[in-house]
Amino acid sequence: MKTHEIITENVQPGEYVYHASYLPNLRSGLNSILRRGLQPSKEGYAGPGVYFAYTPEGGFYHVSAEDATMFRVRWRDLVKLFGVYPDNPNGIQRDGEEIVVPGPVPAQYLEVEYFQDEWWDLPSALAAERGSYSE
């Protein structure tokens, strides 16, 4: 068995998995995600899908930390929504570096890192971006 195969088999998602997006305008980006969810990219090295990482640091593979808006979702919620390959042939696919979700991830399952290490639901983050969030 190759080393990569051993590593792949032993990597397990934690409570959350992470997705880094490039949102040049946070307000309009959050508005779009609230309406449509995180949309799958049409292409990627493993094909179409929404790409997640096992850790926040792993999410910077496709976008730099300086340009990223980080999202997280509970792994168990993704499994309930999509199932996991091979149990579901069209389900979530995993390898040692990334998790590929086959369809849009609804906004109600997502949290955004609004401040460093501070995770907010998307409606609260959007309200804060509009200046109408009250503490």
Side-chain angles (χ1 to χ4, degrees), residues 23-104:
L23 302 179
N25 181 298
L26 186 59
R27 185 175 10 185
S28 64
L30 289 174
N31 255 326
S32 176
I33 293 169
L34 273 168
R35 284 192 319 273
R36 304 173 353 149
L38 276 178
Q39 293 294 304
S41 64
K42 292 186 170 87
E43 25 183 88
Y45 86 93
V50 181
Y51 286 74
F52 285 88
Y54 294 89
T55 64
E57 298 77 26
F60 298 127
Y61 180 78
H62 297 288
V63 61
S64 72
E66 296 80 28
D67 293 334
T69 299
M70 185 65 70
F71 295 89
R72 73 179 185 181
V73 62
R74 282 190 164 80
W75 171 244
R76 70 173 184 257
D77 290 340
L78 286 179
V79 171
K80 284 179 190 175
L81 286 168
F82 297 100
V84 179
Y85 179 87
D87 295 333
N88 177 357
N90 297 316
I92 298 167
Q93 296 195 28
R94 300 188 304 121
D95 66 19
E97 295 178 13
E98 290 187 311
I99 297 162
V100 183
V101 176

Coordinates of all heavy atoms in Angstrom, one line a residue, residues 23-104:
L23 N -14.1 36.7 -2.0 CA -15.2 37.7 -2.1 C -14.7 39.1 -2.1 O -14.4 39.7 -1.1 CB -16.2 37.5 -0.9 CG -16.8 36.1 -0.6 CD1 -17.6 36.1 0.6 CD2 -17.5 35.6 -1.8
P24 N -14.5 39.7 -3.3 CA -13.9 41.0 -3.4 C -14.8 42.0 -2.6 O -14.3 43.0 -2.1 CB -13.9 41.3 -4.9 CG -14.5 40.2 -5.6 CD -14.8 39.1 -4.6
N25 N -16.1 41.8 -2.6 CA -17.0 42.7 -1.8 C -17.8 41.8 -0.8 O -18.6 41.0 -1.3 CB -17.9 43.4 -2.7 CG -18.9 44.3 -2.0 OD1 -19.7 43.9 -1.1 ND2 -18.8 45.6 -2.3
L26 N -17.4 41.9 0.5 CA -18.0 41.0 1.4 C -19.5 41.0 1.5 O -20.2 40.0 1.5 CB -17.4 41.2 2.8 CG -17.9 40.2 3.9 CD1 -17.5 38.8 3.6 CD2 -17.3 40.6 5.3
R27 N -20.1 42.3 1.4 CA -21.5 42.4 1.5 C -22.2 41.7 0.3 O -23.2 41.0 0.5 CB -21.9 43.9 1.6 CG -23.4 44.0 1.8 CD -23.9 45.4 2.0 NE -22.9 46.5 1.7 CZ -23.2 47.7 1.9 NH1 -24.3 48.1 2.4 NH2 -22.3 48.6 1.7
S28 N -21.8 42.0 -0.9 CA -22.5 41.4 -2.0 C -22.2 39.9 -2.1 O -23.1 39.1 -2.5 CB -22.1 42.1 -3.3 OG -20.7 41.9 -3.6
G29 N -21.0 39.5 -1.6 CA -20.7 38.0 -1.6 C -21.6 37.3 -0.6 O -22.1 36.2 -0.9
L30 N -21.7 37.9 0.6 CA -22.6 37.2 1.6 C -24.1 37.2 1.1 O -24.8 36.2 1.3 CB -22.5 38.0 2.9 CG -21.2 37.8 3.7 CD1 -21.2 38.6 4.9 CD2 -21.0 36.3 4.1
N31 N -24.5 38.3 0.5 CA -25.9 38.4 -0.1 C -26.1 37.2 -1.1 O -27.1 36.5 -1.0 CB -26.1 39.7 -0.8 CG -27.0 40.6 0.0 OD1 -27.9 40.2 0.7 ND2 -26.7 41.9 -0.1
S32 N -25.1 37.0 -1.9 CA -25.2 36.0 -2.9 C -25.3 34.6 -2.3 O -26.1 33.7 -2.7 CB -24.0 36.1 -3.9 OG -24.0 35.0 -4.8
I33 N -24.4 34.4 -1.3 CA -24.4 33.0 -0.7 C -25.6 32.8 0.1 O -26.2 31.7 0.2 CB -23.1 32.9 0.2 CG1 -21.9 32.9 -0.7 CG2 -23.1 31.7 1.1 CD1 -20.5 33.0 0.0
L34 N -26.2 33.9 0.8 CA -27.4 33.7 1.5 C -28.6 33.3 0.5 O -29.4 32.5 0.9 CB -27.8 35.0 2.2 CG -27.3 35.2 3.6 CD1 -27.4 36.6 4.1 CD2 -27.9 34.2 4.5
R35 N -28.6 33.8 -0.7 CA -29.6 33.5 -1.7 C -29.4 32.1 -2.3 O -30.4 31.4 -2.5 CB -29.6 34.5 -2.8 CG -30.3 35.8 -2.4 CD -30.6 36.7 -3.6 NE -29.5 36.7 -4.6 CZ -28.5 37.6 -4.6 NH1 -28.3 38.4 -3.6 NH2 -27.6 37.5 -5.5
R36 N -28.2 31.8 -2.6 CA -27.9 30.6 -3.4 C -27.1 29.5 -2.7 O -26.9 28.4 -3.3 CB -27.2 31.0 -4.7 CG -27.9 32.0 -5.5 CD -27.2 32.6 -6.7 NE -25.8 32.1 -6.8 CZ -25.1 32.0 -7.9 NH1 -25.7 32.2 -9.0 NH2 -23.9 31.5 -7.8
G37 N -26.5 29.8 -1.6 CA -25.6 28.8 -0.9 C -24.2 28.9 -1.6 O -24.0 29.7 -2.5
L38 N -23.3 28.1 -1.1 CA -22.0 28.0 -1.7 C -22.2 27.2 -2.9 O -22.6 26.0 -2.9 CB -21.0 27.4 -0.8 CG -20.3 28.2 0.2 CD1 -19.3 27.4 1.1 CD2 -19.5 29.4 -0.4
Q39 N -21.9 27.7 -4.1 CA -22.1 27.1 -5.4 C -20.9 26.2 -5.8 O -19.7 26.7 -5.5 CB -22.4 28.1 -6.5 CG -23.7 28.8 -6.3 CD -24.9 27.9 -6.5 OE1 -25.0 27.2 -7.5 NE2 -25.7 27.8 -5.4
P40 N -21.1 25.1 -6.4 CA -20.0 24.3 -6.8 C -19.2 25.0 -7.9 O -19.8 25.7 -8.8 CB -20.6 23.0 -7.4 CG -22.0 23.0 -6.9 CD -22.4 24.5 -6.6
S41 N -17.9 24.8 -7.9 CA -17.1 25.3 -9.1 C -17.3 24.3 -10.2 O -17.6 23.2 -10.0 CB -15.6 25.4 -8.7 OG -15.1 24.1 -8.5
K42 N -17.3 24.8 -11.4 CA -17.5 24.0 -12.6 C -16.4 23.0 -12.8 O -16.6 22.0 -13.4 CB -17.8 24.8 -13.8 CG -19.1 25.6 -13.7 CD -19.5 26.3 -14.9 CE -20.9 26.8 -14.9 NZ -21.2 28.1 -14.3
E43 N -15.2 23.4 -12.4 CA -14.1 22.5 -12.6 C -13.2 22.6 -11.4 O -13.2 23.5 -10.6 CB -13.3 22.8 -13.8 CG -13.4 24.2 -14.4 CD -12.6 24.4 -15.6 OE1 -13.2 24.2 -16.7 OE2 -11.5 24.8 -15.6
G44 N -12.4 21.6 -11.2 CA -11.4 21.5 -10.2 C -10.6 20.3 -10.4 O -10.9 19.5 -11.3
Y45 N -9.5 20.1 -9.7 CA -8.7 19.0 -10.0 C -9.4 17.7 -9.8 O -9.1 16.7 -10.5 CB -7.4 19.0 -9.2 CG -7.5 18.4 -7.8 CD1 -7.2 17.0 -7.6 CD2 -7.9 19.1 -6.7 CE1 -7.3 16.4 -6.4 CE2 -8.1 18.5 -5.5 CZ -7.7 17.1 -5.3 OH -7.9 16.6 -4.1
A46 N -10.4 17.6 -9.0 CA -11.2 16.4 -8.7 C -12.6 16.6 -9.4 O -13.5 15.8 -9.1 CB -11.4 16.1 -7.3
G47 N -12.8 17.5 -10.3 CA -14.1 17.7 -11.0 C -14.9 18.8 -10.3 O -14.5 19.4 -9.4
P48 N -16.2 18.9 -10.8 CA -17.1 19.9 -10.2 C -17.4 19.7 -8.8 O -17.4 18.5 -8.3 CB -18.3 19.8 -11.1 CG -18.1 18.8 -12.1 CD -16.8 18.1 -11.8
G49 N -17.6 20.7 -8.0 CA -18.0 20.6 -6.6 C -17.6 21.8 -5.8 O -16.9 22.7 -6.2
V50 N -18.1 21.8 -4.5 CA -17.6 22.8 -3.5 C -16.5 22.1 -2.7 O -16.7 21.0 -2.2 CB -18.8 23.2 -2.6 CG1 -18.3 24.2 -1.6 CG2 -20.0 23.7 -3.4
Y51 N -15.3 22.7 -2.8 CA -14.2 22.1 -2.1 C -14.0 22.6 -0.7 O -14.1 23.8 -0.4 CB -12.9 22.5 -2.9 CG -12.8 21.7 -4.2 CD1 -13.6 22.0 -5.3 CD2 -11.9 20.7 -4.3 CE1 -13.5 21.3 -6.5 CE2 -11.8 20.0 -5.5 CZ -12.6 20.3 -6.6 OH -12.5 19.6 -7.8
F52 N -13.9 21.7 0.2 CA -13.6 21.9 1.6 C -12.3 21.3 2.1 O -11.8 20.4 1.5 CB -14.8 21.3 2.5 CG -16.1 22.1 2.4 CD1 -17.0 21.8 1.4 CD2 -16.3 23.1 3.3 CE1 -18.2 22.5 1.3 CE2 -17.5 23.8 3.2 CZ -18.5 23.5 2.2
A53 N -11.8 21.9 3.1 CA -10.5 21.4 3.7 C -10.9 20.8 5.1 O -11.9 21.2 5.8 CB -9.5 22.5 3.8
Y54 N -10.0 20.0 5.6 CA -10.1 19.4 7.0 C -9.8 20.4 8.1 O -10.3 20.3 9.2 CB -9.2 18.2 7.1 CG -9.6 17.1 6.2 CD1 -9.1 16.9 4.9 CD2 -10.5 16.1 6.6 CE1 -9.5 15.9 4.1 CE2 -10.9 15.0 5.8 CZ -10.4 15.0 4.5 OH -10.7 13.9 3.7
T55 N -9.0 21.4 7.7 CA -8.6 22.4 8.7 C -8.7 23.8 8.0 O -8.7 23.9 6.8 CB -7.1 22.3 9.2 OG1 -6.3 22.4 8.0 CG2 -6.9 20.9 9.8
P56 N -8.8 24.9 8.8 CA -8.9 26.2 8.2 C -7.6 26.5 7.3 O -7.7 27.0 6.2 CB -8.9 27.2 9.4 CG -9.5 26.4 10.5 CD -9.0 25.0 10.3
E57 N -6.4 26.1 7.8 CA -5.2 26.3 7.0 C -5.3 25.6 5.7 O -4.7 26.1 4.7 CB -4.0 25.9 7.8 CG -3.8 26.6 9.1 CD -4.7 26.1 10.3 OE1 -5.2 25.0 10.2 OE2 -5.0 26.9 11.1
G58 N -5.9 24.5 5.6 CA -6.0 23.7 4.4 C -6.9 24.4 3.4 O -6.8 24.2 2.2
G59 N -7.8 25.3 3.8 CA -8.7 26.0 2.9 C -8.0 27.0 2.1 O -8.6 27.5 1.1
F60 N -6.8 27.4 2.4 CA -6.1 28.4 1.6 C -5.4 27.8 0.4 O -4.7 28.5 -0.3 CB -5.1 29.1 2.5 CG -5.7 29.8 3.6 CD1 -5.3 29.6 4.9 CD2 -6.8 30.7 3.5 CE1 -5.8 30.3 6.0 CE2 -7.4 31.4 4.5 CZ -6.9 31.1 5.8
Y61 N -5.7 26.6 0.0 CA -5.1 26.0 -1.2 C -5.5 26.7 -2.4 O -4.7 26.9 -3.3 CB -5.5 24.5 -1.2 CG -5.0 23.8 -2.4 CD1 -3.7 23.3 -2.4 CD2 -5.8 23.5 -3.5 CE1 -3.1 22.6 -3.5 CE2 -5.2 22.8 -4.6 CZ -3.9 22.4 -4.5 OH -3.4 21.7 -5.6
H62 N -6.8 27.2 -2.5 CA -7.3 27.8 -3.8 C -7.3 29.3 -3.7 O -7.5 29.9 -4.8 CB -8.7 27.2 -4.1 CG -8.7 25.8 -4.3 ND1 -8.2 25.2 -5.5 CD2 -9.2 24.8 -3.6 CE1 -8.4 23.9 -5.4 NE2 -8.9 23.6 -4.3
V63 N -7.1 29.9 -2.6 CA -7.1 31.3 -2.4 C -6.2 31.7 -1.3 O -6.1 30.9 -0.3 CB -8.6 31.9 -2.2 CG1 -9.2 31.3 -0.9 CG2 -8.6 33.4 -2.2
S64 N -5.5 32.8 -1.4 CA -4.5 33.1 -0.3 C -5.3 33.6 0.9 O -6.4 34.0 0.9 CB -3.6 34.3 -0.8 OG -4.3 35.5 -0.9
A65 N -4.6 33.5 2.1 CA -5.1 33.9 3.3 C -5.5 35.3 3.3 O -6.5 35.7 4.0 CB -4.2 33.5 4.5
E66 N -4.7 36.2 2.7 CA -5.0 37.6 2.6 C -6.3 37.9 1.9 O -7.0 38.9 2.1 CB -3.9 38.4 2.0 CG -2.6 38.3 2.7 CD -1.8 37.0 2.5 OE1 -1.9 36.3 1.4 OE2 -1.1 36.5 3.4
D67 N -6.6 37.1 0.9 CA -7.8 37.3 0.0 C -9.0 36.5 0.4 O -10.1 36.7 -0.2 CB -7.5 37.0 -1.4 CG -6.4 38.0 -2.0 OD1 -6.3 39.1 -1.5 OD2 -5.7 37.6 -2.9
A68 N -8.9 35.7 1.4 CA -9.9 34.7 1.7 C -11.0 35.2 2.7 O -10.7 35.9 3.6 CB -9.3 33.4 2.2
T69 N -12.2 34.7 2.4 CA -13.3 34.7 3.4 C -13.5 33.3 3.8 O -13.8 32.5 2.9 CB -14.5 35.4 2.9 OG1 -14.3 36.7 2.5 CG2 -15.6 35.4 4.0
M70 N -13.3 32.9 5.1 CA -13.4 31.5 5.5 C -14.8 31.2 6.0 O -15.4 31.9 6.8 CB -12.4 31.2 6.6 CG -12.3 29.8 7.0 SD -11.6 28.7 5.7 CE -9.9 29.2 5.6
F71 N -15.3 30.1 5.5 CA -16.6 29.5 5.9 C -16.3 28.1 6.5 O -15.4 27.5 6.2 CB -17.5 29.3 4.7 CG -17.9 30.6 4.1 CD1 -17.2 31.2 3.0 CD2 -19.0 31.3 4.5 CE1 -17.5 32.4 2.5 CE2 -19.4 32.5 3.9 CZ -18.6 33.1 2.9
R72 N -17.2 27.8 7.4 CA -17.2 26.4 7.9 C -18.6 25.8 8.0 O -19.6 26.6 8.0 CB -16.5 26.4 9.3 CG -17.3 26.9 10.4 CD -16.6 26.8 11.8 NE -17.4 27.2 12.9 CZ -17.1 27.3 14.1 NH1 -15.8 26.9 14.5 NH2 -17.9 27.7 15.1
V73 N -18.7 24.5 8.0 CA -19.9 23.8 8.1 C -19.7 22.5 8.9 O -18.6 22.0 8.9 CB -20.5 23.5 6.7 CG1 -19.5 22.6 5.9 CG2 -21.9 22.9 6.7
R74 N -20.7 22.1 9.6 CA -20.5 20.9 10.4 C -20.5 19.7 9.4 O -21.3 19.6 8.5 CB -21.7 20.7 11.4 CG -21.6 21.5 12.6 CD -22.6 21.2 13.6 NE -22.3 21.7 14.9 CZ -22.5 23.0 15.3 NH1 -23.1 23.8 14.4 NH2 -22.1 23.4 16.5
W75 N -19.5 18.9 9.6 CA -19.4 17.7 8.8 C -20.6 16.8 8.8 O -21.1 16.4 7.7 CB -18.1 16.9 9.2 CG -18.0 15.6 8.6 CD1 -18.1 14.3 9.1 CD2 -17.8 15.3 7.2 NE1 -17.9 13.3 8.2 CE2 -17.7 13.9 7.0 CE3 -17.6 16.1 6.1 CZ2 -17.5 13.3 5.7 CZ3 -17.4 15.5 4.8 CH2 -17.3 14.2 4.7
R76 N -21.2 16.6 9.9 CA -22.4 15.8 10.0 C -23.6 16.3 9.2 O -24.4 15.6 8.6 CB -22.8 15.5 11.4 CG -23.4 16.7 12.2 CD -23.9 16.3 13.5 NE -24.5 17.5 14.1 CZ -24.0 18.2 15.1 NH1 -22.8 17.9 15.6 NH2 -24.6 19.3 15.6
D77 N -23.7 17.7 9.1 CA -24.7 18.3 8.3 C -24.5 18.0 6.8 O -25.5 17.7 6.0 CB -24.8 19.8 8.5 CG -25.3 20.1 9.9 OD1 -26.0 19.3 10.5 OD2 -25.1 21.3 10.3
L78 N -23.3 18.1 6.3 CA -22.9 17.7 4.9 C -23.3 16.3 4.6 O -23.8 16.0 3.6 CB -21.5 18.0 4.6 CG -21.0 19.5 4.5 CD1 -19.5 19.5 4.2 CD2 -21.8 20.2 3.4
V79 N -22.9 15.4 5.5 CA -23.2 14.0 5.3 C -24.7 13.7 5.2 O -25.2 13.0 4.4 CB -22.6 13.1 6.4 CG1 -23.0 11.7 6.3 CG2 -21.0 13.2 6.4
K80 N -25.5 14.4 6.1 CA -27.0 14.2 6.0 C -27.5 14.7 4.7 O -28.4 14.2 4.1 CB -27.6 15.0 7.2 CG -27.5 14.3 8.5 CD -28.2 15.1 9.6 CE -27.9 14.6 10.9 NZ -28.4 15.5 12.0
L81 N -26.9 15.9 4.2 CA -27.4 16.5 2.9 C -27.1 15.7 1.7 O -27.9 15.5 0.8 CB -26.9 17.9 2.8 CG -27.5 18.9 3.7 CD1 -26.7 20.2 3.6 CD2 -28.9 19.2 3.3
F82 N -25.8 15.2 1.7 CA -25.3 14.6 0.4 C -24.9 13.1 0.5 O -24.8 12.5 -0.6 CB -24.1 15.4 0.0 CG -24.4 16.8 -0.3 CD1 -24.1 17.8 0.6 CD2 -24.9 17.2 -1.5 CE1 -24.4 19.1 0.3 CE2 -25.2 18.5 -1.8 CZ -24.9 19.5 -0.9
G83 N -24.7 12.6 1.6 CA -24.2 11.2 1.7 C -22.7 11.2 1.3 O -22.2 12.2 0.9
V84 N -22.0 10.1 1.5 CA -20.6 10.0 1.2 C -20.4 8.8 0.3 O -20.9 7.7 0.4 CB -19.8 9.8 2.5 CG1 -18.3 9.6 2.3 CG2 -20.1 10.9 3.5
Y85 N -19.5 9.1 -0.7 CA -19.1 8.0 -1.6 C -18.3 7.0 -0.8 O -17.5 7.4 0.0 CB -18.2 8.7 -2.7 CG -17.7 7.7 -3.7 CD1 -18.5 7.3 -4.8 CD2 -16.5 7.0 -3.6 CE1 -18.0 6.4 -5.7 CE2 -16.0 6.1 -4.5 CZ -16.8 5.8 -5.6 OH -16.3 4.8 -6.4
P86 N -18.4 5.7 -1.0 CA -19.1 5.0 -2.0 C -20.5 4.6 -1.6 O -21.3 4.1 -2.4 CB -18.3 3.7 -2.2 CG -17.7 3.5 -0.8 CD -17.5 4.9 -0.2
D87 N -21.0 4.9 -0.4 CA -22.3 4.6 0.0 C -23.3 5.3 -0.9 O -24.4 4.7 -1.2 CB -22.6 5.0 1.5 CG -21.8 4.2 2.5 OD1 -21.4 3.0 2.1 OD2 -21.5 4.7 3.6
N88 N -23.1 6.5 -1.2 CA -23.8 7.2 -2.2 C -22.9 7.5 -3.4 O -22.0 8.3 -3.3 CB -24.4 8.5 -1.6 CG -25.1 9.4 -2.7 OD1 -25.2 9.0 -3.8 ND2 -25.7 10.5 -2.3
P89 N -23.1 6.9 -4.5 CA -22.2 7.1 -5.7 C -22.1 8.5 -6.1 O -21.1 8.9 -6.7 CB -22.8 6.2 -6.8 CG -23.6 5.2 -6.1 CD -24.1 5.9 -4.8
N90 N -23.1 9.4 -5.9 CA -23.0 10.8 -6.2 C -22.8 11.6 -5.0 O -23.1 12.8 -5.0 CB -24.4 11.2 -6.9 CG -24.6 10.5 -8.2 OD1 -23.6 10.3 -9.0 ND2 -25.8 10.0 -8.4
G91 N -22.3 11.1 -3.9 CA -22.1 11.8 -2.7 C -20.8 12.5 -2.6 O -20.0 12.6 -3.5
I92 N -20.5 12.9 -1.3 CA -19.2 13.6 -1.0 C -18.0 12.7 -1.3 O -18.1 11.5 -0.9 CB -19.2 14.0 0.5 CG1 -20.4 15.0 0.7 CG2 -17.9 14.6 0.9 CD1 -20.6 15.2 2.2
Q93 N -17.0 13.2 -1.9 CA -15.8 12.5 -2.1 C -14.7 13.1 -1.3 O -14.6 14.3 -1.1 CB -15.4 12.4 -3.6 CG -16.5 11.7 -4.4 CD -16.0 11.4 -5.8 OE1 -14.8 11.2 -6.0 NE2 -16.9 11.3 -6.7
R94 N -13.8 12.2 -0.7 CA -12.7 12.7 0.2 C -11.4 12.1 -0.2 O -11.4 11.0 -0.8 CB -13.0 12.3 1.6 CG -14.2 12.8 2.2 CD -14.3 12.5 3.7 NE -14.2 11.1 4.1 CZ -13.3 10.6 4.9 NH1 -12.4 11.4 5.5 NH2 -13.2 9.4 5.2
D95 N -10.4 12.9 0.0 CA -9.0 12.4 -0.1 C -8.2 13.0 1.1 O -8.8 13.6 2.0 CB -8.4 12.6 -1.4 CG -8.1 14.1 -1.7 OD1 -8.1 14.9 -0.8 OD2 -7.9 14.5 -2.9
G96 N -6.9 12.8 1.1 CA -6.1 13.2 2.2 C -6.0 14.7 2.3 O -5.5 15.2 3.3
E97 N -6.4 15.5 1.3 CA -6.3 16.9 1.4 C -7.6 17.7 1.3 O -7.7 18.7 1.9 CB -5.4 17.4 0.2 CG -4.0 16.9 0.3 CD -3.1 17.3 -0.8 OE1 -3.5 18.2 -1.6 OE2 -2.0 16.7 -1.0
E98 N -8.6 17.2 0.6 CA -9.8 17.9 0.4 C -11.0 17.0 0.4 O -11.0 15.8 0.2 CB -9.8 18.6 -1.0 CG -8.8 19.8 -1.0 CD -8.8 20.6 -2.3 OE1 -8.8 20.0 -3.4 OE2 -8.9 21.8 -2.2
I99 N -12.1 17.7 0.6 CA -13.5 17.1 0.6 C -14.2 17.8 -0.6 O -14.3 19.0 -0.6 CB -14.2 17.4 1.9 CG1 -13.4 16.7 3.0 CG2 -15.6 16.9 1.9 CD1 -13.7 17.2 4.4
V100 N -14.8 17.1 -1.5 CA -15.5 17.6 -2.6 C -17.0 17.3 -2.4 O -17.4 16.1 -2.5 CB -15.0 17.1 -3.9 CG1 -15.7 17.8 -5.1 CG2 -13.5 17.3 -4.1
V101 N -17.8 18.4 -2.2 CA -19.3 18.2 -2.1 C -19.9 18.4 -3.4 O -19.6 19.4 -4.1 CB -19.8 19.3 -1.0 CG1 -21.3 19.2 -0.9 CG2 -19.1 19.0 0.3
P102 N -20.8 17.5 -3.9 CA -21.3 17.6 -5.3 C -22.3 18.7 -5.6 O -22.5 18.9 -6.8 CB -21.9 16.2 -5.4 CG -22.3 15.8 -4.1 CD -21.3 16.4 -3.1
G103 N -22.9 19.3 -4.6 CA -23.9 20.3 -4.9 C -23.8 21.6 -4.1 O -22.9 21.7 -3.2
P104 N -24.7 22.5 -4.2 CA -24.6 23.8 -3.4 C -24.8 23.4 -1.9 O -25.6 22.6 -1.6 CB -25.8 24.6 -3.9 CG -26.2 23.9 -5.2 CD -25.8 22.5 -5.2

